[in-house]
Amino acid sequence: MLTAAVLVASGAGPVSAGAAEDWAAPVLTSPAPDTLLTGTAELTATSESPYVVFELATSASSTWIVRRTPVAAGPDGIFRDTLPTAGLPPRFVAWVRACSDASLESCTTVSEPVPVRGPRPTLTPTKPLPSVIDPSVTKQVSLRVTGLGGSPATVDGDVTSRQVHDGDVIDVAISSTSSVDLFVSLRQCNSLNGQVCERTGLSLTVRKEPDLTLWGPSTMLLSQNGDGLWETATSQVSLDSRTPLTARWRIISAAGATVAGPYEFSADQIREARNPAPWGTRILIDPKERLGRPLPAGEYRFEVETTATAPDFKKSTRKSETLFISNAAPMTRLTPKTSVFYPQAVAATGVPRVMELSPRIDSYEARMTGFRYRVLTADGKPLGDPIGGIGWDQPVIAWDGAIRREGRPATTAPEGTYRIELIRTIRTGAGVDESDVYGPVSAPFTLRRGYPDSVTRSVAASARSSWQRTAVKQNARVQRGKHGVLRFRRKAAGKGAARVTSVHSVRIPRDRLKDRRMRIRLHGAWDNPGDVKIAVIAPWGETLQRRALTRNRRHLEVAVPERWVRADGRLRFAVQWKGTKPARLDRVVVRYRRYDLTS
């Protein structure tokens, strides 16, 4: 079986017709097993065949073989050849194969392989080096090349590539700004087979300080309010894999004072953190567990310090990342701004066309959370796909009543009762771990199609509370009565009719229909229906008399268009009294129309 395996490995083709003989297996007489061969292998063998070929290989089943053409026996009947050993590993094999003629294709029967040894190319410092090279102390390292066995090799890596020989010295410059490992490679190949190569190298650990990496987002959140979110924080820490060290962590305030810690890394944590994959070890940050109490809300720093413990290198490194601690109450509900909305009421004054909710989200949480929401039907099933677009700085949910599904046009949801559920995508603080948290769910609200019905509403004020000033007072006096009443009387000594003009102001709600007229209605008592009149004071200052719609001795009503209402919603008007008998003004009622937005 070994013979067949070597034949395949040697790459020998089929034997020519008439060339094959039933030779006995040749015998390799030198070198002896486990002989150290330096540079070349002096090979001898005996065989019944007229020719043999000597071969060196990396192993008994290797495809990488060093050989020449077949050789004939000498006058003494001994077959001899010399092969270069450069490029072969420190342990390799030699064997001899019987051949019918001087061609490799005629070679068939093979001897038993003989294991032999060779020198290994090495790079050795010319003087002892520290385990960790400090570039501020060591500027250059010299390495001596040995073990080439008289054949050249190529040096490369973090040095200029060139050919070297046994005994050559390679100078490696250490940059004063470098803090990375340097690798010098030595490669030696065989002159008969360029694919047979031996590579070795020397890695130099260069550090200004121990390596330290904190993985994850630049900020972490800790919110121990019992809602199950951010009750603890996690930081992923990677430590120097080639420098012996210790590590500890602490929480420091914005002023730099230590408020928790320092806490030493365990041996298992250090071992895990020195492993380059997967991204070190995770450190659980839980001040409530460590201290027995939560820390006050505010901005802190999570700091890790690592110190090298090599005899000749004891430097330290510190790195930190922002840690927000919040004591805000958990978010438990969403409150709709209105109980009903009308997505199709595009031009309707004062009609809510979107359903708005403003989640009370903690400011720290808002910085680390992605917000979306989904609409739920009355039976709790999702309506369409989740919707994004909620800003972290001013989180506002505004649903326009549309159903959205990926790859389909948006449609308006049918009339009915719905709820909105908040979706928060939370970053845990370690690597890229994220999770979706659903809730809270809003109170129910109603979606209506078209426009709502309009209803009449009124705003009332007593005569005295709406009274701003008296513009005209002739042969008369104004008295304040009970319950906000104003009384107009003629002076006792006066003759003829008395006159009073009082200016009033009433604020009209903004949800009024601005394409409908309002009505001012005076309630009071006067002797003659013609003694009292109303004049509206326009925003531009003009006083305009209004014709009475209804008039009697207790009521007076006039119509007022929207354009005479000031920008702040105030309607100003003058009550004019002229008469000889006393008059009493009780209250003012302004009636207006608005949409009925009850569900």
Side-chain angles (χ1 to χ4, degrees):
M1 294 300 293
L2 178 62
T3 301
V6 173
L7 280 172
V8 173
S10 69
V15 180
S16 303
E21 299 287 347
D22 189 15
W23 310 118
V27 177
L28 186 67
T29 57
S30 68
D34 209 35
T35 301
L36 176 63
L37 306 178
T38 304
T40 59
E42 303 294 334
L43 305 165
T44 62
T46 58
S47 178
E48 298 175 355
S49 61
Y51 291 88
V52 299
V53 62
F54 294 96
E55 297 175 338
L56 304 177
T58 56
S59 67
S61 60
S62 175
T63 59
W64 306 117
I65 294 177
V66 177
R67 66 187 176 186
R68 301 183 194 274
T69 56
V71 297
D76 56 358
I78 303 299
F79 296 88
R80 294 178 175 84
D81 202 354
T82 302
L83 296 179
T85 61
L88 289 164
R91 296 281 181 177
F92 58 99
V93 297
W95 60 63
V96 62
R97 193 185 305 276
C99 306
S100 299
D101 54 42
S103 65
L104 289 173
E105 289 77 8
S106 68
C107 301
T108 56
T109 311
V110 68
S111 70
E112 290 291 330
V114 175
V116 290
R117 296 181 295 120
R120 184 182 183 88
T122 56
L123 289 168
T124 306
T126 57
K127 60 181 180 179
L129 293 178
S131 57
V132 181
I133 300 173
D134 188 340
S136 63
V137 177
T138 304
K139 305 298 183 181
Q140 179 176 287
V141 172
S142 298
L143 306 176
R144 190 180 305 281
V145 179
T146 58
L148 299 185
S151 298
T154 300
V155 64
D156 54 19
D158 292 314
V159 296
T160 303
S161 179
R162 60 188 176 94
Q163 192 177 76
V164 293
H165 299 82
D166 270 318
D168 286 354
V169 175
I170 303 167
D171 293 328
V172 182
I174 307 297
S175 171
S176 60
T177 61
S178 175
S179 187
V180 295
D181 295 335
L182 298 178
F183 183 75
V184 182
S185 173
L186 194 63
R187 183 170 182 265
Q188 187 183 40
C189 297
N190 194 276
S191 59
L192 296 182
N193 188 343
Q195 298 185 62
V196 177
C197 299
E198 180 69 5
R199 182 184 291 273
T200 187
L202 182 65
S203 182
L204 305 175
T205 302
V206 181
R207 296 286 188 275
K208 292 185 295 182
E209 57 190 20
D211 286 343
L212 172 61
T213 304
L214 304 184
W215 299 87
S218 58
T219 56
M220 296 181 292
L221 176 63
L222 194 63
S223 176
Q224 297 183 331
N225 57 12
D227 64 355
L229 305 178
W230 295 289
E231 297 296 325
T232 60
T234 303
S235 179
Q236 206 142 351
V237 181
S238 180
L239 300 177
D240 199 312
S241 61
R242 301 189 61 187
T243 305
L245 46 79
T246 60
R248 64 211 59 85
W249 66 270
R250 74 187 79 211
I251 299 176
I252 58 177
S253 66
T258 299
V259 297
Y263 305 111
E264 296 291 331
F265 282 38
S266 67
D268 289 341
Q269 287 175 323
I270 291 178
R271 182 167 49 254
E272 189 178 42
R274 289 163 62 92
N275 188 356
W279 303 320
T281 189
R282 295 190 176 191
I283 301 300
L284 184 68
I285 306 169
D286 189 352
K288 191 174 181 181
E289 175 68 22
R290 294 272 186 174
L291 303 175
R293 55 177 174 81
L295 287 172
E299 183 175 337
Y300 297 81
R301 303 289 296 179
F302 167 75
E303 181 185 82
V304 177
E305 180 184 17
T306 179
T307 302
T309 58
D312 44 15
F313 188 74
K314 296 184 179 298
K315 290 190 174 182
S316 298
T317 306
R318 290 184 181 183
K319 287 189 178 180
S320 63
E321 55 191 4
T322 305
L323 173 65
F324 289 123
I325 296 182
S326 170
N327 292 330
M331 186 169 56
T332 57
R333 64 178 182 174
L334 298 175
T335 303
K337 289 189 176 181
T338 181
S339 60
V340 61
F341 76 115
Y342 296 79
Q344 296 174 325
V346 177
T349 302
V351 176
R353 290 169 288 150
V354 296
M355 175 52 60
E356 289 191 358
L357 304 93
S358 296
R360 289 183 140 187
I361 298 175
D362 175 63
S363 59
Y364 294 144
E365 175 184 343
R367 302 185 192 188
M368 298 189 62
T369 306
F371 298 101
R372 295 174 297 156
Y373 68 92
R374 63 180 182 176
V375 181
L376 304 179
T377 60
D379 57 1
K381 295 181 179 179
L383 183 71
D385 296 334
I387 304 170
I390 306 175
W392 68 266
D393 50 347
Q394 291 183 339
V396 175
I397 295 174
W399 181 44
D400 59 2
I403 304 174
R404 293 177 174 85
R405 294 185 176 90
E406 186 176 359
R408 302 183 190 178
T411 58
T412 302
E415 285 193 357
T417 301
Y418 298 93
R419 295 172 183 259
I420 283 179
E421 183 176 35
L422 185 65
I423 306 174
R424 286 173 282 179
T425 301
I426 295 176
R427 299 166 182 83
T428 62
V432 293
D433 293 347
E434 293 184 349
S435 59
D436 286 339
V437 175
Y438 291 84
V441 178
S442 74
F445 56 85
T446 303
L447 182 151
R448 297 289 188 206
R449 287 180 174 267
Y451 291 78
D453 296 331
S454 63
V455 294
T456 300
R457 293 290 182 265
S458 62
V459 56
S462 68
R464 194 188 306 168
S465 65
S466 64
W467 181 32
Q468 289 189 312
R469 61 189 175 88
T470 299
V472 176
K473 188 168 60 174
Q474 295 179 355
N475 194 25
R477 63 179 183 272
V478 179
Q479 296 177 331
R480 294 176 174 86
K482 294 181 179 181
H483 309 298
V485 170
L486 289 179
R487 296 180 184 275
F488 306 145
R489 295 180 182 275
R490 187 176 63 166
K491 287 184 178 180
K495 295 181 180 181
R499 293 180 61 192
V500 172
T501 300
S502 61
V503 178
H504 298 260
S505 175
V506 177
R507 187 183 295 275
I508 314 301
R510 294 183 178 274
D511 63 354
R512 63 189 180 276
L513 293 180
K514 296 183 179 179
D515 58 348
R516 311 288 178 89
R517 292 193 171 204
M518 290 159 283
R519 294 191 177 194
I520 302 174
R521 187 180 183 91
L522 299 184
H523 293 256
W526 39 86
D527 187 62
N528 184 357
D531 287 352
V532 179
K533 296 179 181 178
I534 296 177
V536 178
I537 304 173
W540 54 91
E542 184 179 0
T543 300
L544 305 167
Q545 292 287 341
R546 298 302 294 164
R547 183 174 60 87
L549 299 176
T550 62
R551 181 194 294 274
N552 57 44
R553 295 173 62 183
R554 288 192 173 274
H555 300 103
L556 174 63
E557 188 171 271
V558 298
V560 180
E562 169 66 28
R563 66 179 181 276
W564 289 354
V565 179
R566 295 165 62 96
D568 61 358
R570 286 196 171 274
L571 176 61
R572 300 177 70 231
F573 56 93
V575 178
Q576 301 169 338
W577 169 71
K578 181 180 180 181
T580 58
K581 298 292 181 71
R584 186 185 78 240
L585 183 60
D586 296 341
R587 60 194 176 98
V588 178
V589 177
V590 180
R591 295 194 301 171
Y592 62 95
R593 300 286 293 180
R594 74 170 181 83
Y595 284 117
D596 182 9
L597 301 180
T598 61
S599 58

